[in-house]
Amino acid sequence: MRIAQVDAFATRPFGGNGAAVVLLSSPVTGQSLQALAAECAQSETAFLLRLQGQWLLRWLTPALEVDLCGHGTMAAARALSHWGVLTPGQRLDLHTRSGALPVEQWGAGFRIQLPTGRLDQASPEPGLEQLLGTPVQQRWTSSLRYEVALVDADLPLAALRLDQEQLRRRPCLGLVVMQASPPGTAEADPPDYALRFFAPQAGIPEDPVTGSAHALVAPYWFARTGRHLLKAQQLSRRGGRLRLLARGGDQVALEGETALVWSGELLANLAPGGRQDWEDLLP
């Protein structure tokens, strides 16, 4: 079985968000997938399987399986390109727990399409402001079990340090903290907005670049800016940039570059089984 390491939303290795990508030859048990994801120790490990003429994709953090992962999808597209499965100009649907996700090579990078999910306006919550140490302008819950907080554009978001134990006690899988680009920035090509993403309940203290979070908040920023093309930045230590394009309905396209770090052969034996879990992804 083939395995690769891809840094997504990165122009060079060791930036953006890393994901291991495994090309399975047959279905294996969920226990084997989880053990390998823990061994790879990336934010997510993407598992690909060709079954009944369709490409199936699942993502696991070191602690659990997730329903949607943007950078893992982009990493899977990059690996499939490296392995000669995905060619320039070709669109490929990857079938997942979140439906069919189209991927394609785009210039020097890749374009993936994700569902946006649903943001639900929520009332202010004193515990969240205490955790962040700053007023929250707006707060949402979401269908992805992410809590979303909008903070002032002048807040030094990159310098924000959060108590992981308090984060674990939040009633959410992950916390998105976002802000508009500060006014009057001297940057030549400033982003429209920036965010950070914390998910200790999923085994991820902070995710470097989170495609699912950007897809979730994209409709808010499309409506706020009146534009159908956005530039976004994630202010983690590794950092990353991407572009978002409105696709209508509940879909958004994400564009970004990738860096292939290594590619090789998986020698560990994985226990066969779990076929039903894969067949449930078939259209």
Side-chain angles (χ1 to χ4, degrees):
M1 290 181 283
R2 292 173 172 175
I3 184 169
Q5 166 80 29
V6 177
D7 288 343
F9 305 114
T11 57
R12 60 179 65 90
F14 317 127
N17 201 354
V21 184
V22 181
L23 182 58
L24 298 170
S25 55
S26 60
V28 300
T29 64
Q31 185 176 4
S32 290
L33 298 181
Q34 191 63 74
L36 183 54
E39 179 75 9
C40 291
Q42 298 297 306
S43 297
E44 269 87 8
T45 296
F47 293 91
L48 288 160
L49 176 67
R50 180 80 167 164
L51 191 65
Q52 297 182 23
Q54 305 290 337
W55 281 100
L56 311 181
L57 173 63
R58 293 165 68 181
W59 315 273
L60 283 84
T61 77
L64 51 81
E65 186 166 3
V66 296
D67 293 335
L68 184 64
C69 176
H71 91 277
T73 303
M74 184 160 287
R78 178 67 176 88
L80 288 171
S81 173
H82 173 66
W83 293 326
V85 176
L86 180 64
T87 57
Q90 174 193 8
R91 167 179 156 154
L92 192 65
D93 285 344
L94 304 179
H95 297 278
T96 75
R97 283 183 168 189
S98 293
L101 307 182
V103 301
E104 59 185 310
Q105 214 161 334
W106 164 78
F110 292 84
R111 175 184 290 164
I112 64 174
Q113 190 165 301
L114 302 180
T116 60
R118 187 188 71 252
L119 278 178
D120 297 314
Q121 190 79 43
S123 58
E125 206 275 307
L128 179 59
E129 294 195 344
Q130 181 182 17
L131 172 66
L132 298 178
T134 189
V136 173
Q137 295 179 354
Q138 293 188 69
R139 174 177 168 263
W140 298 264
T141 57
S142 74
S143 56
L144 293 180
R145 295 174 56 208
Y146 298 167
E147 185 177 21
V148 180
L150 177 69
V151 297
D152 191 89
D154 291 328
L155 178 76
L157 186 57
L160 188 66
R161 299 292 179 265
L162 300 186
D163 183 287
Q164 290 289 312
E165 198 51 48
Q166 288 189 52
L167 276 168
R168 285 189 188 90
R169 293 197 294 267
R170 300 289 307 167
C172 60
L173 182 64
L175 172 64
V176 180
V177 185
M178 64 180 184
Q179 65 181 173
S181 184
T185 179
E187 192 174 338
D189 187 27
D192 296 295
Y193 72 90
L195 63 77
R196 291 178 68 185
F197 181 80
F198 307 89
Q201 287 190 30
I204 307 169
E206 180 173 5
D207 198 37
V209 190
T210 316
S212 60
H214 286 279
L216 176 66
V217 304
Y220 168 82
W221 292 106
F222 287 138
R224 174 167 166 164
T225 63
R227 295 198 293 274
H228 297 284
L229 171 63
L230 297 171
K231 300 183 295 293
Q233 182 176 16
Q234 195 144 336
L235 295 171
S236 64
R237 180 180 59 81
R238 290 169 63 108
R241 293 207 172 200
L242 59 152
R243 296 177 359 133
L244 301 100
L245 297 87
R247 280 288 182 256
D250 63 348
Q251 298 290 309
V252 61
L254 278 62
E255 295 177 345
E257 296 183 48
T258 64
L260 181 66
V261 180
W262 54 261
S263 179
E265 181 183 359
L266 181 65
L267 300 179
N269 292 320
L270 303 181
R275 186 180 181 89
Q276 186 61 51
D277 292 335
W278 290 97
E279 290 179 341
D280 288 344
L281 305 180
L282 289 167

